[in-house]
């Protein structure tokens, strides 16, 4: 079993959940290139991806080389494959939870690259769509808020996007249950939902910081990539249910403390 993107936040969590797996970093295999000729495996947990959502607007070809070409190359190994995808494949116009049967309509270059990546995975694949990932390593919202919260009295955070912040430890563990299901697309995200501003408030509260959150609109924040206003994911296909995002946050902060 191999884990690609082993240095990423999900990749690291997967290596803990699947200690028998062999982790591959970008230096071991740049997934924009065909797999190394001597690489053989019975299962690929493909966590390597271009995850810079705003950067993909500036350089959509490079994002696609990783998120589409990389998945295609992983599929070429001929083994069953798990590919992680995103809530950003949806346009966010719905106001009830997105199910696997809902029609995607990505707003951003990143979302489009991930949707095309889903199609590149082939027949022997589980596509696991998740949302707003955070963990103890790599770039994520929790680590950014902890850094900003330590530096500032107030942080401006977007309050008109709703989703389910998902702890990578929970997602990695749930992958074991996904592997028991037939190949196909599954929505696997934390229980509960919130806005980024509510998430930031919870992070400061749990971390014991008295930083204030100033709630702003997406337009005021001015990110380059458009993002869905609502992207809560739920499963109608029997995918594993994850704990509430607040439980994930507590676990993540406890881990960051040690
Ligand atoms: N982050 C989120 O909020 C979120 C939400 C929903 C779904 N997802 C999906 O979940 C999966 C895991 O995301 P994550 O948050 O764990 O991302 P991450 O922390 O950014 O990790 C991605 C990993 O992929 C590696 N990588 C990038 N380009 C590569 C290449 N050409 N060849 C080999 N490795 C390469 C990176 O290596 P370097 O460190 O060398 O760049 C990094 O280790 C991705 O498929 C992502 O699209 C993420």
């Amino acid at each position: 079993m191999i884990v690609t993107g082993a240095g990423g936040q999900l990749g690291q969590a997967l290596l803990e959940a699947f200690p028998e797996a062999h982790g591959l970093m970008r230096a071991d295999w740049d997934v924009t290139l065909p797999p190394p000729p001597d690489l053989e495996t019975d299962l690929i947990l493909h966590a390597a991806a271009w995850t810079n959502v705003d950067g993909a607007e500036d350089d959509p070809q490079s994002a696609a080389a990783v998120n589409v070409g990389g998945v295609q190359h992983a599929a070429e190994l001929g083994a069953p494959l798990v590919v992680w995808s995103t809530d950003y494949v949806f346009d966010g116009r719905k106001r009830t939870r997105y199910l696997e049967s809902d029609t995607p309509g990505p707003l951003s270059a990143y979302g489009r690259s991930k949707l095309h990546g889903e199609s590149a995975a082939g027949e022997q694949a589980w596509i696991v769509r998740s949302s707003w990932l955070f963990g103890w390593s790599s770039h994520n919202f929790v680590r950014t808020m902890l850094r900003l919260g330590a530096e500032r009295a107030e942080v401006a955070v977007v309050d008109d996007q709703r989703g389910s912040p998902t702890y990578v430890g929970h997602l990695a563990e749930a992958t074991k249950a996904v592997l028991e299901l037939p190949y196909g697309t599954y929505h696997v995200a934390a229980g509960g939902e919130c806005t980024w501003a509510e998430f930031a408030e919870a992070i400061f509260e749990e971390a014991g910081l008295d930083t204030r959150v100033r709630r702003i609109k997406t337009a005021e924040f001015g990110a380059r990539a458009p993002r869905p206003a609502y992207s809560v994911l739920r499963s109608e296909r029997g995918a594993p249910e994850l704990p509430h995002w607040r439980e994930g946050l507590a676990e993540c902060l406890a881990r960051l403390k040690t």
Side-chain angles (χ1 to χ4, degrees):
M1 181 189 307
I2 60 173
V3 172
T4 65
Q9 53 176 348
L10 178 61
Q12 293 204 358
L14 287 168
L15 287 176
E16 290 193 5
F18 297 88
E20 70 278 29
H22 177 55
L24 296 177
M25 312 283 280
R26 188 198 290 257
D28 303 311
W29 174 24
D30 178 339
V31 300
T32 62
L33 304 172
D38 53 345
L39 188 61
E40 282 180 18
T41 184
D42 56 350
L43 177 67
I44 309 147
L45 305 180
H46 184 61
W50 175 298
T51 56
N52 179 347
V53 177
D54 293 312
E57 294 299 307
D58 300 331
D59 191 357
Q61 285 185 335
S62 297
V66 184
N67 290 348
V68 188
V71 174
Q72 211 165 348
H73 290 142
E76 280 170 18
L77 284 167
L81 172 68
V82 183
V83 173
W84 280 270
S85 188
T86 170
D87 52 330
Y88 287 7
V89 300
F90 294 112
D91 66 14
R93 274 190 264 169
K94 241 185 120 179
R95 283 297 173 274
T96 54
R97 296 154 175 198
Y98 278 98
L99 303 171
E100 290 93 343
S101 58
D102 283 317
T103 306
L107 301 174
S108 63
Y110 168 76
R112 286 189 289 277
S113 74
K114 294 297 292 181
L115 185 61
H116 290 140
E118 292 183 3
S119 310
E123 299 296 313
Q124 287 190 95
W126 297 268
I127 309 293
V128 179
R129 292 191 188 131
S130 194
S131 61
W132 297 21
L133 296 193
F134 65 94
W136 58 89
S137 66
S138 196
H139 304 287
N140 64 62
F141 186 79
V142 172
R143 282 163 51 95
T144 302
M145 285 303 124
L146 291 176
R147 181 172 48 77
L148 293 178
E151 291 166 0
R152 302 181 191 176
E154 185 179 271
V155 179
V157 187
V158 167
D159 195 36
D160 55 1
Q161 292 171 28
R162 289 192 82 73
S164 300
T166 301
Y167 178 50
V168 290
H170 292 158
L171 182 58
E173 274 300 319
T175 303
K176 294 174 185 170
V178 171
L179 293 172
E180 303 296 319
L181 297 168
Y183 295 130
T185 300
Y186 297 97
H187 287 184
V188 185
E193 57 180 78
C194 60
T195 66
W196 289 111
E198 289 164 354
F199 190 28
E201 281 168 354
I203 293 165
F204 295 143
E205 187 186 309
E206 288 273 347
L209 292 165
D210 53 12
T211 316
R212 288 184 309 278
V213 173
R214 185 163 65 83
R215 295 174 176 234
I216 61 169
K217 301 270 184 224
T218 296
E220 188 181 341
F221 187 71
R224 291 200 293 296
R227 289 160 166 80
Y230 179 92
S231 60
V232 177
L233 302 178
R234 286 296 172 265
S235 181
E236 61 192 340
R237 294 200 179 143
E241 289 188 11
L242 299 192
H244 194 275
W245 63 266
R246 283 207 78 125
E247 269 183 62
L249 175 60
E251 279 189 39
C252 182
L253 291 180
R255 171 112 190 211
L256 280 167
K257 265 192 206 146
T258 55

